[in-house]
Amino acid sequence: PQANLVFITSLFLGTTITVSSNHWVMAWAGLELNTLAILPLISKSHHPRAIEAATKYFLVQAAASTLILFSSMTNAWQTGQWDISQLTCPVSCLILTTAIAMKLGLAPFHFWFPEVLQGSSLITGLLLSTAMKFPPITLLYMTSQSLNPTLLVTMAILSAALGGWMGLNQTQTRKILAFSSISHLGWMAIIIVYSPKLALLNFYLYALMTAAAFLTLNSINTLKLSTLMTTWTKTPALSAALMLTLLSLAGLPPLTGFLPKWLIIQELTKQEMAPAATLIALLSLLSLFFYLRLAYCATITLPPHTTNHMKQWHTNKPTSILIAILTTMSITLLPASPM
């Protein structure tokens, strides 16, 4: 418990340092602290896959941090400015975009993310998908007025495409959620130049829905689609809620997940980027397919052998009240859209 407390505190501290810093070196230090704090959490289960995941994660994040330092040094060398919002040198903007894409797992730098998620537990996977994405997104938010729109839109459409296509033939729930995360990051990247606040809103709602999905999967203890099929007989209410959460992640209209997609498409149309909006909306249909497959396995498929034990209407995990709150929010927040 003490070690866990130290790691979680360091995570919060690193995130806070990066989010509240003005100087590039401070932001870099916060990112490094984050990386070093999550590594023991990934490699905690003594399994070769977990150690491999931790090594991959460390190498990718170290390379990305080095690139962030390099881009800020290039910028300081050109302009004499170490301020984050004063990133004006075009070369350092390109290097920074590359580095943050590596940090986040945006395509074409997405290869490490599904592997790392597959090697870690569900709760660590939740931290990796939400909390570890927050500092790089804030860095993009702070430098958004000087980034290169063409590069970001290209990366975004590539991410949506790859996240959709590569998730189609997966059977592991963690890998499916990793690819869904990659396609959601594409939606954030396409809008960060034009409306940074909208990208942050998209990130908050994505974190909310992903947390609901991960915690639900953690409480019914399922890692593969085949074990997901047997949950309907055990926890019917939770499985039905999981189906709605997954459809919300896919972005279907009466649910929360439709809100950021709707606003992003509207904003892109205002910027006269209707082709890009059409393309990314069509590519999100790919990810809708594997969400539907998850939802189908969770609720509509009944296994051939029915279990005889009682249906559990509550699970004995301490996170159940959190699951209830997060699931409710990830289903019903759409009427809050005028705000």
Side-chain angles (χ1 to χ4, degrees):
Q2 285 91 353
N4 262 348
L5 182 69
V6 169
F7 299 143
I8 301 292
T9 320
S10 305
L11 270 180
F12 277 114
L13 181 66
T15 308
T16 316
I17 288 177
T18 306
V19 167
S20 57
S21 61
N22 284 321
H23 197 286
W24 272 113
V25 179
M26 275 303 274
W28 169 80
L31 288 169
E32 284 295 298
L33 195 57
N34 253 354
T35 305
L36 293 176
I38 196 95
L39 279 173
L41 295 178
I42 301 176
S43 57
K44 190 169 63 174
S45 60
H46 298 293
H47 190 277
R49 173 93 30 107
I51 309 296
E52 179 193 0
T55 314
K56 282 178 181 170
Y57 185 76
F58 173 73
L59 290 173
V60 171
Q61 299 294 318
S65 293
T66 319
L67 276 179
I68 286 179
L69 262 189
F70 179 59
S71 82
S72 52
M73 278 169 66
T74 317
N75 185 56
W77 190 39
Q78 294 281 342
T79 62
Q81 274 284 359
W82 278 104
D83 198 13
I84 291 187
S85 52
Q86 303 285 334
L87 191 77
T88 46
C89 170
V91 180
S92 50
C93 281
L94 291 176
I95 300 173
L96 178 83
T97 312
T98 312
I100 291 197
M102 281 174 78
K103 277 260 176 223
L104 289 172
L106 263 174
F109 306 103
H110 62 284
F111 294 102
W112 60 275
F113 189 53
E115 303 293 326
V116 170
L117 221 60
Q118 182 57 34
S120 48
S121 70
L122 279 166
I123 297 295
T124 314
L126 168 64
L127 278 177
L128 280 171
S129 310
T130 56
M132 301 302 290
K133 300 282 166 91
F134 185 52
I137 289 245
T138 52
L139 283 181
L140 271 188
Y141 177 82
M142 286 189 272
T143 56
S144 60
Q145 74 280 358
S146 52
L147 296 172
N148 182 356
T150 322
L151 176 68
L152 275 169
V153 168
T154 315
M155 278 173 144
I157 289 176
L158 205 57
S159 293
L162 283 169
W165 262 310
M166 294 172 75
L168 290 181
N169 58 352
Q170 302 294 335
T171 55
Q172 301 279 341
T173 48
R174 285 169 294 186
K175 277 200 173 175
I176 290 180
L177 283 166
F179 286 117
S180 99
S181 171
I182 291 168
S183 55
H184 273 277
L185 281 169
W187 281 88
M188 288 170 228
I190 201 167
I191 200 65
I192 190 89
V193 183
Y194 305 107
S195 169
K197 285 199 173 69
L198 199 47
L200 271 190
L201 171 79
N202 191 349
F203 177 76
Y204 296 144
L205 292 178
Y206 152 75
L208 184 92
M209 297 181 290
T210 310
F214 265 110
L215 288 173
T216 309
L217 289 175
N218 182 54
S219 85
I220 50 187
N221 202 3
T222 163
L223 298 173
K224 299 196 291 295
L225 285 182
S226 52
T227 50
L228 192 61
M229 286 185 187
T230 59
T231 57
W232 178 245
T233 47
K234 286 186 280 187
T235 50
L238 197 58
S239 296
L242 176 65
M243 179 179 90
L244 284 173
T245 311
L246 288 166
L247 294 182
S248 179
L249 263 173
L252 288 185
L255 307 167
T256 309
F258 179 58
L259 168 63
K261 287 189 166 47
W262 180 25
L263 292 175
I264 284 174
I265 287 177
Q266 184 186 5
E267 182 65 36
L268 286 175
T269 324
K270 281 181 192 164
Q271 299 288 346
E272 293 170 358
M273 290 175 61
T278 314
L279 195 54
I280 200 165
L282 286 174
L283 288 172
S284 75
L285 290 177
L286 287 168
S287 42
L288 171 66
F289 179 80
F290 60 76
Y291 291 125
L292 272 177
R293 203 178 62 195
L294 266 176
Y296 183 80
C297 286
T299 53
I300 305 170
T301 329
L302 276 179
H305 56 90
T306 49
T307 47
N308 288 328
H309 61 69
M310 294 286 291
K311 288 182 167 45
Q312 302 169 343
W313 284 92
H314 59 91
T315 49
N316 300 326
K317 291 278 174 98
T319 51
S320 47
I321 178 72
L322 194 60
I323 295 176
I325 296 169
L326 285 169
T327 307
T328 313
M329 285 176 75
S330 60
I331 293 170
T332 56
L333 275 187
L334 187 65
S337 53
M339 293 157 58

